[in-house]
Amino acid sequence: MTSPSSGTVHYSVEQDIAVLAIENPPVNALSNALRSALFEAIERFENDETASAAVLYGVGAGFIAGADIREFSLEPWGPTLPELIARIEACEKPVIAALHGNTLGGGVEVALASHYRIAQEKTRLGMPEVHIGLIPGASGTQRLPRLIGYDAAIAMITGGRPVKAKDALQMGLVDELTSEAGIKEAGIVFAQKIVAEERGPRRLAQVGAPAADAQLFDTARAEVAKKAKGLEAPSIALEMIANAARMPYDAALAIERRTFLELKESAQHKALVHAFFADRSAGRLPELKGVEPRPLSQVGVVGGGTMGAGIATALLLSGFSVVLVERDEAGLDRARSVITANLEGAVKRGKLSADGLAKLTGEALVLACEYEAFSNADLVIEAVFEEMSVKHDVFSKLDAVCKQGAILATNTSYLDVNAIAACTSRPQDVIGLHFFSPAHIMKLLEVVVANATAADVLATGFALAKKMGKVAVRAGVCDGFIGNRILAKTRAAAEAMILEGASPKEIDSAIRGFGFAMGPFETADMAGLDISWARRKRLAATRDPRDRQVGFADAICEQGWFGRKTGSGYYLYGKDVAKHTPNPDALELIEAERVEKGIAQRSFSAEEIVERYMAAMVNEAAAIISEGIALRPVDVDLTLLYGYGFPRWRGGPMHYADAVGAAKILDVVKQGAKDDDYFWRTAPLLEKLAEREATFASLNG
Ligand code: COA
């Protein structure tokens, strides 16, 4: 059975040139239907005596954005991409690819099969396959190095980042640039020139591969492996490129195709495609449909500490004018210098010009000590100390000075947004906007909806995130919302393993091995151990007596060891924080607790550590979804991917659970419950999915 597929090619002849207009909105992905239509159009052109050359161009915003990712899981039909590409190249009359907009993956491969290439100045040419766990599968790894050399081809294919048209011209990827607005017209003029000069087809498959010195690939192997961070495709792609130097074209091509098809079945590819579509589903919530966000121009920030200054920086970089209020001049000075340092970092990274920096700090930023400065703000974000009485004070003051319709937001990480809203006369205008530190770098924004939050206030939270280039996730009110609630649970699971015998270092290594950039204890040391200590104290009065707490976490804090900032925590830190070593005194405190509680130390394999850690994460996430704190499993995936360093090539915890199977996760939860049936309470949703052999993905809608 063939799959439904969209995409067509419009054929016409203009001034003796065949014009093949490729159309498959929105991005002209190479669907089954489009490949068939293009194949037929090339045959038609070859037999068309009225046309002496052909121009391929894309209708809409770009040429071709690559293979149709939506069709990857379907049965393909019609000519494959390699067949289409071979057909284009074999054409006996010149074929010209006229490029504009996004020209990616298979789009570049179609352009490389064409005999000539002209591009509009704003074209982006790239081979992004590695970003979805693939390699170019239709000769890209063979044709590209033949055209632009090994170094440039390695950079484009293993890095996945597109190049600008002017760089493409310089490296020989395109023959000519045009500033013409109409790419079709520019293509026709170029084609007429080729015909007039009697230049026939040029076929890259017939060009010998450049020679490579022995060192080149060895150096590249080390560099690519270092950057890949667990992603397999870049190193595999590199070996394909190396094949160009060590075997004939056809043999290398066959290996490339076979490898591409194998990778299409790989777990990393499936996870990365899940992440690709997760990104695009982020803001698509039924409750936002048709709701207009409130206009935002001036934004206020209360508090100029690391978080407040980071939020102010992010707002400035996104084009907002910002009013920041601190208690006194000393506080304002600190805030000014942190914001300036953050912006200087943006200048260094090429995100801002020196002039731009001066404008942002000189004109767009206002610093003040009085709340009256917020009287014109459309939104005020509070980023003060995590203590309910302090929040009450801030929100009462904001309620008194802010204009009608202004949105009052809290950046709290854990506290009850309903209780914060209740101390204003306008709870409908109150929302949580939970940024992650450093706020001008981290992409996640949890948008926390309280009971009375108005729909257009929620819509404004999402619009703000979009303008700031952040990924917004809707979260309900509970202790820690989505991300920190899951973090607290997984950390507790890790602490329990420590009491049983694992060391912080063993746990951190296992979790790094899974693909996280850092383990839970390294992260805790970085964030500051006093933060979770304060939280434990806050929750102590209402804690269920069955909720077992480890003593060593408090004992470590009682010594004044708060992690990196004090030079010691679970690890000891010197000047180079990356070279930390286990803190023997902390290990002693842990051992003392084991002895006191009569726990016999046992060893843990990395696999068991990951299994337990992930089971705690998935089980808690399932509870969070059932309670409506997260609306969809994909929102949990986005939260962990963008706020907590979850490896993208694993797709997020819910995708991981689907890959492993709910039943297997449930087994680990039940195993844990034999020892601690309070901590390992099974989330009913996990049980239901396991029973039905269903996936979390099936709940994404
Ligand atoms: N196949 C199928 N659908 C695709 C697609 C592809 N290769 N590329 C984009 N789309 C879809 C998106 O899912 C989105 O659909 P939606 O509106 O239903 O969510 C729509 O096209 C627009 O994409 P979006 O990413 O929102 O637009 P953009 O203008 O921000 O970015 C691209 C456009 C092409 C740069 C970006 O979509 C992209 O990088 N696509 C993947 C390219 C790729 O990896 N190609 C190689 C595949 S092997």
Side-chain angles (χ1 to χ4, degrees), residues 26-27 29 65 67-70 102 104 128-129 132 276-277 280 284:
V27 295
D68 193 326
I69 300 173
R70 286 180 205 278
N102 287 311
L104 303 174
E129 288 88 346
I132 51 168
F276 177 84
F277 288 117
R280 280 149 188 86
R284 270 183 207 151

Side-chain angles (χ1 to χ4, degrees), residues 82-268:
E83 285 163 353
L84 169 64
I85 277 177
R87 185 66 193 87
I88 295 172
E89 189 170 68
C91 189
E92 283 168 8
K93 294 183 279 183
V95 177
I96 290 104
L99 314 174
H100 79 297
N102 287 311
T103 301
L104 303 174
V108 170
E109 290 177 315
V110 166
L112 293 174
S114 304
H115 308 125
Y116 298 90
R117 290 157 288 278
I118 175 169
Q120 222 170 44
E121 282 166 344
K122 288 202 173 140
T123 312
R124 294 163 75 239
L125 296 98
M127 306 297 283
E129 288 88 346
V130 293
H131 292 153
I132 51 168
L134 294 177
I135 58 165
S139 77
T141 64
Q142 303 307 304
R143 282 198 169 94
L144 201 58
R146 281 172 162 77
L147 189 61
I148 63 175
Y150 292 114
D151 285 335
I154 290 170
M156 274 186 82
I157 292 174
T158 66
R161 291 221 345 237
V163 296
K164 291 181 184 151
K166 72 170 177 13
D167 298 327
L169 178 70
Q170 207 161 36
M171 57 176 79
L173 181 47
V174 298
D175 301 298
E176 199 169 299
L177 288 196
T178 174
S179 51
E180 282 285 317
I183 187 62
K184 178 180 94 173
E185 290 71 20
I188 292 173
V189 170
F190 184 79
Q192 285 170 330
K193 191 169 75 181
I194 297 292
V195 173
E197 291 170 6
E198 295 183 8
R199 290 156 73 186
R202 290 183 314 188
R203 299 190 176 94
L204 271 173
Q206 291 167 2
V207 174
D213 73 78
Q215 268 280 300
L216 190 150
F217 286 103
D218 282 343
T219 311
R221 275 182 194 105
E223 278 170 11
V224 168
K226 198 167 145 205
K227 280 191 209 146
K229 296 191 178 124
L231 183 61
E232 291 161 357
S235 294
I236 297 174
L238 178 63
E239 292 313 316
M240 299 299 115
I241 301 169
N243 286 346
R246 60 190 169 202
M247 61 180 78
Y249 180 79
D250 286 344
L253 203 62
I255 296 176
E256 180 203 71
R257 185 66 184 167
R258 197 180 66 222
T259 310
F260 169 81
L261 292 174
E262 280 166 12
L263 286 175
K264 247 179 83 181
E265 301 306 317
S266 70
Q268 290 205 351

